[in-house]
Amino acid sequence: MDKKVLYTIIIVIILIIAGVAAYYAFTPPAKEEKVLVVGTASGFPPFEYVDPNTHQVVGFDIDLITMIAHKIGYDKVEIKDMEFDSLIPALQAGTIDVAIAGMTITPAREKVVDFSKPYWHADQAVVVRKDSNLVVNSPEDLHGLKIGVQTGTTGESYVTEKVGKDNATIKSYPSYVEAVQALVNGQIDVIVVDTPVAQNFVHKYDVKIIHTFETGETYGIAVKKGNTKLLNEINSALDEIMNSPEWNQLVNKYFGSSS
Ligand code: ARG
């Protein structure tokens, strides 16, 4: 083959390759969506629960974190539903950016994660079947009973500390919905659960609240320890939302009235 023709072919091939490379190098990539990865633990209505129709995790916490995310420049949230006691490890491992799960701000948790300002408050309610005639006024009144709680919660630690494993049968469930179902089915005598969730259960199941242990808990949104940037953004968005009419709308949507 004529050398000139050969060189021309080679040059043309090089130009094509260079052109393609330049195209990919200089075309700006499509703008990536900013996603906030949110961990929660469903089975804690009305804060987070699975919608029976859509099978999606919905609730007060999900709406709240979605509002916050939009305010601080995220396009959307990705919800990761996990067991409650996996949330803090997931934050530490960086598989989620925030955890919102009706999570009580406790000194022990504050050692391992950072919390936003409080957005809700709760005590621990003693819930029994509607037809039960149990009377409970103190932790001692729970002696000898089968008590249901959720693994890794403040309800579980309250019962473990104040009643004690030697004085009662403490059964820990993966979620409070499973605990209340076990109560309704007669497998346990009482559950000890956060007051706002207990009130929700009273509307949905044949159960009643017979006592409240005043634990004075508050809920916060958790981020990985040291993620101050995200925490500050969350706090200012939370402030803004809690001081706007959006807050009452949100509260009304899930609690029927402001509290
Ligand atoms: N407030 C309690 C705690 O922090 C119970 C939270 C349970 N939350 C849940 N999404 N299951 O321990």
Side-chain angles (χ1 to χ4, degrees), residues 40-44 48 84 87 101-104 109 124 150 152-155 176 194 217 219:
T40 194
S42 67
F44 201 62
E48 40 270 335
F84 185 72
L87 289 168
M103 191 184 280
T104 302
R109 290 174 185 159
Q124 293 296 316
Q150 179 183 15
T153 59
T154 49
Y176 267 118
D194 298 43
E217 298 169 54
Y219 295 169

Side-chain angles (χ1 to χ4, degrees), residues 168-186:
T169 308
I170 303 170
K171 286 197 159 203
S172 297
Y173 293 87
S175 81
Y176 267 118
V177 163
E178 285 159 87
V180 76
Q181 282 164 353
L183 174 66
V184 171
N185 296 338

Side-chain angles (χ1 to χ4, degrees), residues 3-215:
K3 270 198 174 162
K4 261 191 187 163
V5 175
L6 184 63
Y7 288 149
T8 312
I9 291 173
I10 289 172
I11 285 168
V12 166
I13 290 173
I14 289 171
L15 285 178
I16 290 172
I17 293 171
V20 170
Y23 174 81
Y24 282 106
F26 296 115
T27 309
K31 195 184 162 285
E32 260 191 46
E33 272 195 318
K34 248 189 116 188
V35 180
L36 184 70
V37 184
V38 175
T40 194
S42 67
F44 201 62
F47 295 98
E48 40 270 335
Y49 56 97
V50 176
D51 182 302
N53 301 316
T54 63
H55 305 288
Q56 300 273 321
V57 182
V58 297
F60 183 93
D61 282 346
I62 312 304
D63 282 9
L64 178 59
I65 198 65
T66 306
M67 284 158 69
I68 292 173
H70 288 151
K71 278 202 195 296
I72 63 179
Y74 288 86
D75 299 302
K76 62 173 200 176
V77 298
E78 180 191 328
I79 304 295
K80 288 198 178 172
D81 193 11
M82 50 184 81
E83 305 232 315
F84 185 72
D85 61 353
S86 303
L87 289 168
I88 288 179
L91 279 175
Q92 291 172 317
T95 52
I96 56 174
D97 299 318
V98 305
I100 187 162
M103 191 184 280
T104 302
I105 304 169
T106 69
R109 290 174 185 159
E110 275 181 312
K111 286 197 182 126
V112 287
V113 293
D114 286 337
F115 280 102
S116 71
K117 321 182 155 175
Y119 67 90
W120 208 260
H121 57 86
D123 294 303
Q124 293 296 316
V126 179
V127 179
V128 297
R129 282 181 298 281
K130 217 167 233 158
D131 60 10
S132 158
N133 41 34
L134 275 173
V135 176
V136 175
N137 292 308
S138 71
E140 292 73 49
D141 293 334
L142 294 173
H143 285 189
L145 299 180
K146 287 189 189 134
I147 311 166
V149 289
Q150 179 183 15
T151 309
T153 59
T154 49
E156 181 184 61
S157 34
Y158 184 87
V159 169
T160 310
E161 276 163 35
K162 305 281 176 181
V163 182
K165 284 197 158 72
D166 298 334
N167 300 316
T169 308
I170 303 170
K171 286 197 159 203
S172 297
Y173 293 87
S175 81
Y176 267 118
V177 163
E178 285 159 87
V180 76
Q181 282 164 353
L183 174 66
V184 171
N185 296 338
Q187 289 156 263
I188 51 179
D189 304 304
V190 299
I191 64 170
V192 175
V193 58
D194 298 43
T195 42
V197 177
Q199 280 145 15
N200 185 280
F201 286 162
V202 166
H203 292 126
K204 286 201 205 118
Y205 302 88
D206 272 340
V207 297
K208 61 183 180 187
I209 298 171
I210 56 164
H211 185 66
T212 300
F213 296 122
E214 287 183 8
T215 51

